[in-house]
Amino acid sequence: MGDARMTMAQAGAVVAAAAGLLVFFLYSSIHKVEEGHLAVYYRGGALLSSPSGPGYHIMLPFVTTFKSVQTTLQTDEVKNVPCGTSGGVMIYIDRIEVVNKLAPYAVYDIVRNYTADYDKTLIFNKIHHELNQFCSAHTLQEVYIELFDQIDENLKLALQKDLNVMAPGLTIQAVRVTKPKIPEAIRRNFELMEAEKTKLLIAAQKQKVVEKEAETDRKKALIEAEKAAQVARIHYQQKIMEKETEKRISEIEDAAFLAREKAKADAEYYAARKLADSNKLKLTPEYLELMKYQAIAANSKLYFGDRIPNVFLDSCAFQQASLRTAHEASLPSQEAPDTSGESHLRAKESTG
């Protein structure tokens, strides 16, 4: 009875141990791959050709291992990179950031050729190499000031050119380089030089401001002169137009006066011509005879007797003789004049 109990206890212990081992193996075989990563597997140190995507996966524990490789954008930092210039000055770049992306289709080939830590070989080491190549070909002035803005672009192009040959599928998106650290004495000299350059730029800007102000004044004066010239030209043209208008008005008035005078002359000529034509028709011999008798009948002097006297008195002479007779009659000391009146009458020939 006791032996049976012991056997059952041993069997329970074996079952429990087997269950624990099963749980341990299951825990060791199940693994998780994050989004944006691929899992590459090694079995006995050999790389398997079938990576796994995001999610939970099962592998043989203790026989198969895995490493996660990121396939989204990632930033690798290279710190404290030494760089010797062509003048022999050693400078240090505190940090270089390289933004890169690995394509999923290239994960197996790149891991097989450069391991899962491919960025150390393809990026970190290449950064040191390319940066030293750049610094050794340029002076401190060029590296620190003049060509500093070109370092990141040059590094990006150099890295991508090598990666296109060595690791297709790995793309460099951007490279960011911090300002190099230089010796303190040289840095102070650069600061003094920059201060002098700043003063020079300020002076140049002041000169440009003065030149611009002078140019503005000159253009303003030119605009004012052009404005005055345009106003004078407008006034001149206005006077010319006024004179031309007066000339045209005078010409119109002269033409109208000439037309009126011509019409008046034509009317007078027409009236005279018509009068001459009517007289030509009117002055017939019978009409002239009638006019003669009318003129004789209108004569105020009438003579009666059997003959026409050969002497007649003018009415004016008769009035003068009467005045003189009255005057002589008023003088008592003088003799009366001859009543015959022959001394005061003047004989006239008859026009009869």
Side-chain angles (χ1 to χ4, degrees):
M1 192 73 171
D3 293 338
R5 289 178 179 177
M6 186 179 297
T7 302
M8 290 177 63
Q10 290 176 352
V14 171
V15 171
L21 288 174
L22 180 61
V23 171
F24 177 74
F25 278 111
L26 288 175
Y27 178 79
S28 300
S29 63
I30 296 175
H31 60 283
K32 183 178 70 172
V33 180
E34 298 291 341
E35 186 66 38
H37 294 71
L38 287 180
V40 293
Y41 299 95
Y42 295 89
R43 183 174 296 167
L47 179 66
L48 301 181
S49 60
S50 56
S52 297
Y56 286 99
H57 301 276
I58 298 175
M59 65 181 181
L60 292 175
F62 307 111
V63 177
T64 303
T65 59
F66 82 99
K67 286 188 177 182
S68 181
V69 179
Q70 186 175 350
T71 57
T72 58
L73 283 177
Q74 60 178 334
T75 301
D76 295 324
E77 291 187 358
V78 186
K79 296 183 178 180
N80 199 24
V81 181
C83 180
T85 64
S86 61
V89 180
M90 182 62 67
I91 62 176
Y92 293 88
I93 297 178
D94 184 53
R95 185 175 70 256
I96 300 175
E97 297 178 350
V98 181
V99 181
N100 60 89
K101 182 179 180 182
L102 177 61
Y105 69 86
V107 169
Y108 173 76
D109 292 332
I110 289 179
V111 172
R112 184 184 61 181
N113 294 327
Y114 304 103
T115 73
D117 298 325
Y118 61 90
D119 49 359
K120 293 181 180 179
T121 304
L122 297 177
I123 295 177
F124 286 75
N125 294 339
K126 289 294 294 181
I127 285 291
H128 283 268
H129 173 72
E130 295 297 337
L131 189 59
N132 278 277
Q133 289 289 330
F134 180 83
C135 291
S136 63
H138 297 87
T139 64
L140 178 62
Q141 173 76 15
E142 294 173 340
V143 175
Y144 191 69
I145 296 177
E146 296 177 359
L147 301 179
F148 177 74
D149 59 337
Q150 301 178 12
I151 294 178
D152 49 1
E153 189 66 24
N154 290 334
L155 286 177
K156 176 185 175 182
L157 294 177
L159 288 174
Q160 191 62 59
K161 181 179 178 181
D162 291 340
L163 291 177
N164 290 337
V165 177
M166 299 173 61
L170 181 58
T171 305
I172 304 298
Q173 301 293 330
V175 176
R176 296 186 290 268
V177 181
T178 60
K179 198 71 174 178
K181 293 180 180 180
I182 61 176
E184 187 64 23
I186 299 176
R187 186 185 64 80
R188 286 197 297 269
N189 291 335
F190 274 114
E191 289 179 353
L192 292 175
M193 183 174 63
E194 288 298 323
E196 294 298 327
K197 284 184 178 180
T198 303
K199 292 180 181 179
L200 179 61
L201 290 175
I202 292 174
Q205 290 299 323
K206 288 183 178 179
Q207 182 179 0
K208 289 181 179 180
V209 170
V210 173
E211 291 177 355
K212 286 294 183 182
E213 289 177 351
E215 181 70 16
T216 301
D217 293 338
R218 187 185 69 83
K219 289 183 178 180
K220 184 177 179 181
L222 182 61
I223 291 172
E224 293 294 335
E226 290 179 353
K227 180 181 177 181
Q230 290 178 357
V231 172
R233 190 181 301 111
I234 291 172
H235 289 167
Y236 175 74
Q237 293 177 355
Q238 184 178 2
K239 290 182 179 180
I240 291 177
M241 292 176 64
E242 290 177 355
K243 294 298 181 181
E244 290 180 351
T245 303
E246 293 177 358
K247 180 182 177 182
R248 287 197 293 268
I249 292 173
S250 178
E251 290 176 353
I252 293 171
E253 290 178 350
D254 293 343
F257 177 76
L258 181 61
R260 287 195 300 270
E261 293 297 322
K262 185 177 179 181
K264 183 178 179 181
D266 291 342
E268 292 177 353
Y269 171 76
Y270 180 78
R273 184 174 179 180
K274 288 298 182 180
L275 181 60
D277 293 340
S278 63
N279 289 334
K280 186 183 295 185
L281 298 175
K282 182 179 180 181
L283 298 178
T284 59
E286 293 81 2
Y287 181 77
L288 293 176
E289 187 69 20
L290 176 62
M291 293 299 293
K292 183 178 76 171
Y293 287 113
Q294 287 179 354
I296 293 173
N299 193 355
S300 61
K301 296 178 180 181
L302 299 175
Y303 301 96
F304 298 93
D306 54 354
R307 63 183 181 90
I308 297 175
N310 54 5
V311 177
F312 66 92
L313 294 178
D314 190 3
S315 61
C316 292
F318 180 76
Q319 291 178 358
Q320 291 179 359
S322 300
L323 290 175
R324 288 180 181 180
T325 303
H327 179 67
E328 289 175 357
S330 63
L331 296 178
S333 60
Q334 294 181 359
E335 294 181 357
D338 190 3
T339 56
S340 61
E342 294 177 357
S343 61
H344 299 285
L345 299 178
R346 193 175 286 179
K348 293 185 180 180
E349 296 180 354
S350 175
T351 58

